[in-house]
Amino acid sequence: MRKSRWLLAAALSLMVGGLASTPAAAKPVTDCPLRDAPFSVDSPLIDILLSPSAKAIVETTTGKTLDKGPPRFVGTTPPTFAAILTLRSASMFTGLKAEALPDIDARLRKLPITDEDRLARCARYDNDVPALKLRPGKPHILLFEKINGFKDEPSVNAAHTAFVDMAQRKGWDLVTTDKAGAINPTTLKQFDAVVWNNVSGDVLTLSQRAAFRRFLESGGGFVGVHGSAGDPSYFWDWYADKLIGARFEGHPMSPQFQEARIAVDTTNPLSAALPAEWRMTDEWYSFSTNPRKAGAKIVLSLDESTYNPVGPTNVDLRMGDHPLAWMNCIGKGRMFYSAIGHRPETYSQPEYVTLLETGLAWAVTDRKACSAG
């Protein structure tokens, strides 16, 4: 399984060479996903923890006090693992048995949704639009770093540095924000691509989701790394099933980090500068769905015979065909994702830096690649 913690309000958005200021007095969020949805065993666990009534139903039915669970799983201030878990997926530490879920679900669904519930559900989203200063005449990249779910500071920081260095080498103009208010039509039209740096948890409002989807389908670029496709539960099906094209299943825990062989598809346009294979140590993701079924072209695959693909409670994580990095067209837009990247060291490994730089260059500049979409 993965990890936890959250950030309710991040300060100023960083950008290469300076700070991006955030205008004051942003309007409160009222269009957050699941704002009016009934409580259920498939609700974000954080929403149940934030509701005394919903929490009491679970505790009365199970005889367990949720607050006594592992702190990283039951925190209610982002970033927190509770934002990427549901009662159904959190059975590992709640002890809930599958046969108990229907009764709890029925009780939860009878609860009225109060104004307090709506405010609590929307509090982890934002409408803050940062003032981003862009240099004319250069490709523009938005490095997006809002995280409501699991935030691993070392990997986020290492990836941030790698992308900043990449932009400097290539002469790209890259700015960074952890404000989801940047995901709006006016701001997005200034950018060629958006990079999600280990973004975990649901972070976009309904209007932001729509703006982001239109940006991509109209010809924008997207690059995601590691944790951007590593949540146990998703609350935006389009993101998981269409954009990423795969749902996270798990990663090994005994040990968590293992050396394995990476095989490169040498026929892929992004592999020209890569060796046919290499070995490295990382946290290896497995997925319950294969991105090939979503039309993705695979750049890297993982050789499952070179490591032990067993997860918590001895779950078999073998996929057989095990994609590790892939590219796809989303309408007229371009997406590239790599599952590598938990260990900070990976973002300075030459082969991986080359892959990320090539993938980002493709997403930023190759507008003809998906023009028929």
Side-chain angles (χ1 to χ4, degrees):
M1 289 289 295
R2 301 187 71 221
K3 314 93 190 177
S4 80
R5 305 191 316 264
W6 138 355
L7 231 152
L8 180 56
L12 295 174
S13 304
L14 296 176
M15 82 176 192
V16 178
L19 292 173
S21 61
T22 301
K27 294 182 179 180
V29 172
T30 58
D31 69 332
C32 63
L34 305 181
R35 172 182 178 269
D36 299 304
F39 287 104
S40 75
V41 295
D42 295 309
S43 299
L45 180 59
I46 187 173
D47 289 346
I48 291 175
L49 292 168
L50 287 168
S51 166
S53 298
K55 183 180 172 187
I57 286 176
V58 176
E59 293 182 336
T60 300
T61 306
T62 63
K64 296 180 180 292
T65 303
L66 292 179
D67 288 342
K68 292 185 179 180
R72 64 179 185 162
F73 289 106
V74 296
T76 55
T77 302
T80 173
F81 217 124
I84 55 176
L85 287 173
T86 64
L87 280 178
R88 190 185 302 277
S89 63
S91 59
M92 174 181 291
F93 73 88
T94 62
L96 278 176
K97 298 185 183 301
E99 54 267 27
L101 293 177
D103 179 55
I104 295 174
D105 190 66
R107 291 169 183 258
L108 288 172
R109 289 180 181 276
K110 291 179 181 178
L111 282 177
I113 308 302
T114 67
D115 288 342
E116 289 77 13
D117 293 328
R118 296 183 178 94
L119 286 171
R121 291 176 179 188
C122 288
R124 58 185 177 270
Y125 299 86
D126 76 78
N127 281 323
D128 303 327
V129 180
L132 303 173
K133 297 180 180 180
L134 300 175
R135 292 177 290 170
K138 296 177 178 292
H140 295 149
I141 301 166
L142 180 64
L143 183 58
F144 184 56
E145 297 182 334
K146 182 177 178 71
I147 297 175
N148 281 340
F150 169 64
K151 185 174 184 178
D152 182 70
E153 293 276 359
S155 56
V156 170
N157 292 342
H160 177 100
T161 298
F163 283 116
V164 169
D165 289 347
M166 247 176 256
Q168 291 175 341
R169 284 194 301 272
K170 303 290 287 187
W172 298 328
D173 191 23
L174 179 147
V175 296
T176 306
T177 187
D178 58 6
K179 299 300 184 184
I183 309 300
N184 68 79
T186 300
T187 300
L188 287 174
K189 71 180 181 181
Q190 303 175 71
F191 291 94
D192 297 285
V194 178
V195 177
W196 282 37
N197 178 8
N198 286 282
V199 172
S200 171
D202 198 53
V203 295
L204 301 185
T205 66
L206 295 177
S207 58
Q208 291 161 3
R209 286 180 178 184
F212 185 56
R213 182 170 175 173
R214 284 196 299 269
F215 165 76
L216 292 174
E217 292 178 340
S218 299
F222 167 83
V223 170
V225 292
H226 192 60
S228 298
D231 289 349
S233 300
Y234 279 96
F235 307 99
W236 187 13
D237 290 341
W238 179 85
Y239 178 87
D241 299 328
K242 179 64 176 179
L243 178 57
I244 298 298
R247 290 192 178 238
F248 175 76
E249 176 73 14
H251 61 70
M253 286 299 295
S254 299
Q256 180 177 356
F257 305 111
Q258 301 180 44
E259 182 182 86
R261 173 183 170 270
I262 296 170
V264 178
D265 181 350
T266 57
T267 68
N268 191 285
L270 301 190
S271 66
L274 295 173
E277 62 177 59
W278 80 86
R279 300 182 73 96
M280 67 184 296
T281 298
D282 201 40
E283 174 188 75
W284 303 117
Y285 279 5
S286 290
F287 301 91
S288 60
T289 53
N290 194 306
R292 293 186 196 272
K293 295 182 179 179
K297 296 179 180 179
I298 309 306
V299 185
L300 305 181
S301 296
L302 195 59
D303 183 347
E304 293 178 338
S305 71
T306 59
Y307 76 107
N308 184 27
V310 176
T313 65
N314 292 319
V315 172
D316 187 349
L317 295 175
R318 286 175 293 188
M319 295 178 64
D321 171 26
H322 195 140
L324 193 61
W326 55 88
M327 59 193 290
N328 204 353
C329 289
I330 307 297
K332 295 181 180 179
R334 302 156 305 285
M335 75 77 64
F336 171 76
Y337 170 76
S338 171
I340 299 171
H342 186 85
R343 300 173 75 234
E345 301 93 314
T346 61
Y347 295 99
S348 59
Q349 181 154 344
E351 294 90 347
Y352 192 45
V353 172
T354 297
L355 172 71
L356 290 181
E357 190 167 310
T358 304
L360 181 54
W362 175 77
V364 169
T365 64
D366 195 353
R367 289 188 172 271
K368 294 182 179 180
C370 300
S371 57

